[in-house]
Amino acid sequence: MNKWLQKLSESLSSGRQLRRNRIRQRRIEPLEQRTLLTVYTVTSTSDVTDPLDGQMTLREAIVAANQNADADEIRFNIPGAGAHTISPTSPLPTVRHTTVIDATIESGYINRPVIFLDGTNAGTDNAAKGLRLQGDNSVVRGLAIGNFFAQGILIDGSVGATISQNFIGTDVTGTVAQPNGYGILVYGSSMNSIEHNLLSGNTNDGIRITETTSSQNIVRNNRIGTDDAQTVALGNLRNGVTIINGATNNTVENNTISGNQSLGVSIHGSGSTGNVVRGSRIGTNASGMTEIPNGTHRVWIGGGATDNQIGQPGVSFSNVIGGNRKVCIFLTNENTSRNTVMNNLIGVNVSQQPLPNEEFGVTLYLGPSDNQIGGNAAGNEGNVISGNLFDGVRLEGATTASNVVQGNSIGTNSSGQSAVSNE
């Protein structure tokens, strides 16, 4: 009995020692490494670089962030009521590392900017950009950016930027044009999100996505070519959105793209493939009920662009494309092939009442082939192509071949029960 008790005591002692050792090991395990953002706060509208004046300018904040390889945040706390204007006298430094530039923290910000970045004095050549982003996963939020000769924002080769809640090409009220060259230029850059911005009043495109390495970008919930309220035109002088030069697999969804002086959406060039335009109002107000016309064609696919989609099955993926000058959807050029136009309201509003385009509903011209207009099921894949002032669908040119027009409601509403004639 004594030997048994002795063995039990030794076993319990050994167990307690083992538990103590395990606890010690847990206590000395290294803590998880976490990187905190270094915060630089802009306190002055000046463009002067003076480390001894007790203030920080936007230029100084960007320089400081660039010197730190870790992620940084630039905030704004500029004294005084009302909007504040920052006027660089030369181009600002390129943002080279992951940096969050957040102007929504500035006092007075309520759903619209109170910091205006004014490029009037920044130069008159292509170096004069509002902000140039080369740091991956950077953020620009809550600024108004205008009067820059080149671009309001250039996303240059980086990945994963978020551009949101900005007014690019207007003043802080969203009603007066302060034009940049391009609003936003995405150049050789992928997986960026451009969301909830106003992009209007610029002298070139509101948004341009270009080069073969520009892929998987998302343009969502923006106002492009209207005022902030989406009630009147404040158009970009060229296109609302351009996807060009081999840019692939980009998504344009749930935007209002109206009031632009040329095209609403342009997808152009060999290699520009896999892009999707869906759920947007093109040539109308935000409700899709009344017209805010774009200047020429609403959606243009050409130059050999392939395998792009305008609309997709599903209620939320239907585009409303009406009230425009010239042709609503225009496909042109040889090698422009395998594009799909599906589940759109073309020439009517969301209530399927006439909102006519001034020429044809859909035109295939001078060589596009193997494209599909509609689908297998009217009301789901088929388009409503009605209410236009000329033909609903027009195919023209000897080399325009092997296209399919199927399952559409042409000259009626989606049920086929009410006439909504093309003239």
Side-chain angles (χ1 to χ4, degrees):
M1 187 70 175
N2 289 337
K3 289 182 180 181
W4 181 84
L5 289 173
Q6 183 178 359
K7 288 181 179 180
L8 176 62
S9 176
E10 290 174 353
S11 176
L12 291 172
S13 176
S14 176
R16 284 193 295 270
Q17 185 61 43
L18 180 62
R19 286 194 295 274
R20 289 190 192 103
N21 290 339
R22 287 175 177 171
I23 290 171
R24 289 193 187 101
Q25 288 174 357
R26 287 199 297 267
R27 284 176 178 170
I28 64 175
E29 285 177 354
L31 294 174
E32 177 185 353
Q33 292 187 352
R34 297 182 181 180
T35 301
L36 298 178
L37 294 177
T38 302
V39 177
Y40 303 98
T41 301
V42 176
T43 58
S44 171
T45 60
S46 171
D47 193 43
V48 173
T49 299
D50 182 355
L52 302 178
D53 65 2
Q55 297 181 326
M56 178 164 282
T57 66
L58 178 58
R59 184 180 298 277
E60 289 173 326
I62 295 173
V63 169
N66 284 340
Q67 291 173 348
N68 181 15
D70 294 330
D72 303 291
E73 182 172 1
I74 296 174
R75 299 179 180 178
F76 294 80
N77 185 20
I78 298 174
H84 304 286
T85 299
I86 297 173
S87 299
T89 56
S90 62
L92 290 167
T94 297
V95 176
R96 301 194 181 280
H97 303 298
T98 300
T99 303
V100 176
I101 301 175
D102 191 352
T104 66
I105 298 171
E106 173 67 29
S107 176
Y109 178 92
I110 303 175
N111 299 324
R112 63 176 53 180
V114 290
I115 303 291
F116 179 51
L117 185 57
D118 181 4
T120 301
N121 301 317
T124 56
D125 57 29
N126 286 330
K129 304 166 176 64
L131 293 168
R132 182 182 184 185
L133 306 181
Q134 289 185 334
D136 292 350
N137 302 311
S138 290
V139 176
V140 179
R141 184 184 299 126
L143 288 169
I145 303 175
N147 300 321
F148 285 91
F149 182 86
Q151 304 96 27
I153 296 176
L154 170 62
I155 306 174
D156 186 7
S158 58
V159 173
T162 299
I163 312 298
S164 69
Q165 298 167 260
N166 302 284
F167 288 6
I168 303 177
T170 79
D171 68 351
V172 296
T173 71
T175 62
V176 179
Q178 302 287 338
N180 305 290
Y182 294 96
I184 296 175
L185 177 60
V186 179
Y187 185 87
S189 185
S190 61
M191 293 185 285
N192 303 289
S193 296
I194 301 171
E195 305 190 37
H196 300 285
N197 302 283
L198 174 65
L199 295 130
S200 298
N202 299 288
T203 59
N204 211 302
D205 302 331
I207 300 173
R208 174 169 285 215
I209 302 173
T210 183
E211 307 306 313
T212 57
T213 48
S214 288
S215 180
Q216 301 180 65
N217 298 288
I218 296 176
V219 177
R220 179 188 292 134
N221 294 324
N222 301 284
R223 294 90 67 209
I224 306 173
T226 71
D227 68 341
D228 185 39
Q230 303 174 76
T231 57
V232 298
L234 191 62
N236 299 290
L237 297 190
R238 293 195 64 186
N239 305 332
V241 178
T242 295
I243 299 172
I244 196 169
N245 293 338
T248 62
N249 300 314
N250 301 285
T251 300
V252 178
E253 66 179 11
N254 299 338
N255 303 281
T256 299
I257 308 172
S258 303
N260 300 288
Q261 295 196 23
S262 188
L263 305 169
V265 177
S266 173
I267 302 174
H268 182 78
S270 176
S272 297
T273 184
N275 301 291
V276 177
V277 180
R278 64 191 186 191
S280 293
R281 307 293 192 250
I282 305 175
T284 79
N285 66 354
S287 69
M289 288 296 293
T290 61
E291 66 174 39
I292 305 177
N294 292 295
T296 57
H297 311 303
R298 278 9 78 212
V299 178
W300 191 90
I301 303 176
T306 61
D307 296 293
N308 301 287
Q309 296 188 60
I310 310 301
Q312 290 180 323
V315 174
S316 63
F317 291 157
S318 176
N319 298 294
V320 180
I321 310 173
N324 296 289
R325 310 290 180 248
K326 296 193 176 181
V327 179
C328 183
I329 298 180
F330 191 77
L331 281 71
T332 187
N333 305 132
E334 294 183 5
N335 301 318
T336 298
S337 63
R338 301 190 305 276
N339 299 286
T340 302
V341 178
M342 180 182 292
N343 188 33
N344 300 286
L345 298 176
I346 301 171
V348 296
N349 62 22
V350 292
S351 298
Q352 300 189 32
Q353 299 301 310
L355 197 64
N357 299 289
E358 292 189 0
E359 291 188 7
F360 311 108
V362 179
T363 293
L364 284 72
Y365 180 68
L366 293 182
S369 61
D370 298 302
N371 300 284
Q372 180 173 315
I373 312 301
N376 294 323
N380 181 25
E381 296 181 358
N383 304 283
V384 175
I385 309 174
S386 302
N388 299 288
L389 298 186
F390 286 84
D391 303 338
V393 180
R394 183 182 183 92
L395 286 72
E396 183 174 347
T399 56
T400 300
S402 302
N403 300 286
V404 175
V405 180
Q406 178 176 287
N408 302 286
S409 300
I410 303 175
T412 75
N413 63 3
S414 59
S415 69
Q417 300 300 308
S418 298
V420 190
S421 62
N422 298 292
E423 298 183 14

